[in-house]
Amino acid sequence: MKYPVVQIMLFLCTCSFWSCNSNRTFKENELCLVPQVQKMSLGKSDVALSILKEIRKRAGIEAGADGKYGIVATTREKIREAILAERNIEFCFEGHSFWDLRRLRMLDRLDGKTKHGVEAIALNADGTEMPISEAKTKAGNNELTEKDFNYDVMQIPFTGVKVTSVPEKYYFFPIKQSVIDLNSKIEQNSNWGGTFNPTLE
């Protein structure tokens, strides 16, 4: 196991989607990293740094001569960036990054970005492409290694919009019509055709 997992039974409501899930699993490091941003908001940078060091220590990173475990951040802004970077490492490919940026109102960082994927094609001994059916069978029997493939980095998607642009309204998702129908006093968010300003400005 990559890292310990803490099973917590909570009743969590995701208000942006108006859906509830009564059984959620959290990694132990997620329980450590989430409060770090709150500590930063409260001006407790030293506490946030100590938690960050503890996580890196447990990951086997050496403290170094300065005892900082490779952390060079000193200002509040740089510590926040260090926390975000650590979350990207800890929760890589788990879909946390978008929600981190949304929560911190940093979605504009995604504007102008492009996505890339890796295409792996199995090869025969003579260098020609292996039929997909044969490659699937061999892969299922663990007969292929990383050396048996040709790799190409490709921009995705292949068609349509290839450059990311995240609208401002994505910070507040729309309220489902079925929910609004339950109470005539509920207003739809202003960025989704309603009159309610969710920022309360």
Side-chain angles (χ1 to χ4, degrees):
M1 184 178 293
K2 182 179 176 183
Y3 22 52
V5 173
V6 177
Q7 182 76 15
I8 301 180
M9 302 297 289
L10 294 173
F11 186 76
L12 295 178
C13 291
T14 307
C15 297
S16 58
F17 293 99
W18 290 92
S19 62
C20 295
N21 185 349
S22 60
N23 187 359
R24 295 290 295 271
T25 300
F26 288 88
K27 289 188 174 72
E28 186 174 341
N29 282 353
E30 185 170 3
L31 296 177
C32 293
L33 284 166
V34 169
Q36 282 186 301
V37 178
Q38 296 174 340
K39 296 296 183 183
M40 287 294 304
S41 300
L42 295 173
K44 298 181 179 180
S45 301
D46 55 335
V47 178
L49 272 177
S50 66
I51 297 174
L52 195 57
K53 290 178 182 177
E54 184 61 32
I55 291 173
R56 295 194 133 218
K57 177 182 179 181
R58 192 172 63 186
I61 298 175
E62 296 182 358
D66 57 5
K68 294 183 178 180
Y69 294 89
I71 303 170
V72 297
T74 54
T75 65
R76 180 177 178 177
E77 291 74 19
K78 289 184 178 180
I79 294 174
R80 183 176 63 179
E81 292 298 325
I83 294 171
L84 286 175
E86 199 70 24
R87 287 183 60 83
N88 283 339
I89 295 171
E90 286 289 334
F91 313 125
C92 186
F93 306 119
E94 296 183 16
H96 287 259
S97 182
F98 174 84
W99 304 105
D100 285 345
L101 295 177
R102 178 175 177 262
R103 184 172 59 253
L104 297 171
R105 295 191 70 84
M106 294 179 174
L107 285 177
D108 58 315
R109 292 188 176 193
L110 301 177
D111 291 343
K113 305 293 185 183
T114 57
K115 299 178 182 178
H116 292 80
V118 177
E119 181 183 59
I121 302 295
L123 301 177
N124 295 308
D126 61 0
T128 58
E129 289 189 12
M130 184 182 298
I132 188 67
S133 58
E134 181 182 350
K136 184 177 180 180
T137 300
K138 288 190 173 183
N141 295 328
N142 297 318
E143 297 175 9
L144 297 175
T145 68
E146 65 276 8
K147 296 180 180 179
D148 297 317
F149 293 86
N150 179 61
Y151 301 93
D152 285 314
V153 177
M154 307 181 70
Q155 184 177 0
I156 54 175
F158 299 121
T159 60
V161 178
K162 296 184 177 182
V163 180
T164 302
S165 178
V166 184
E168 177 75 15
K169 66 180 182 179
Y170 276 23
Y171 286 114
F172 298 95
F173 293 136
I175 302 172
K176 292 176 65 174
Q177 186 60 47
S178 59
V179 174
I180 295 177
D181 291 341
L182 296 175
N183 188 333
S184 60
K185 293 184 178 181
I186 296 179
E187 302 174 25
Q188 181 60 271
N189 290 330
S190 56
N191 284 337
W192 297 91
T195 57
F196 178 71
N197 183 352
T199 65
L200 300 180
E201 295 177 345

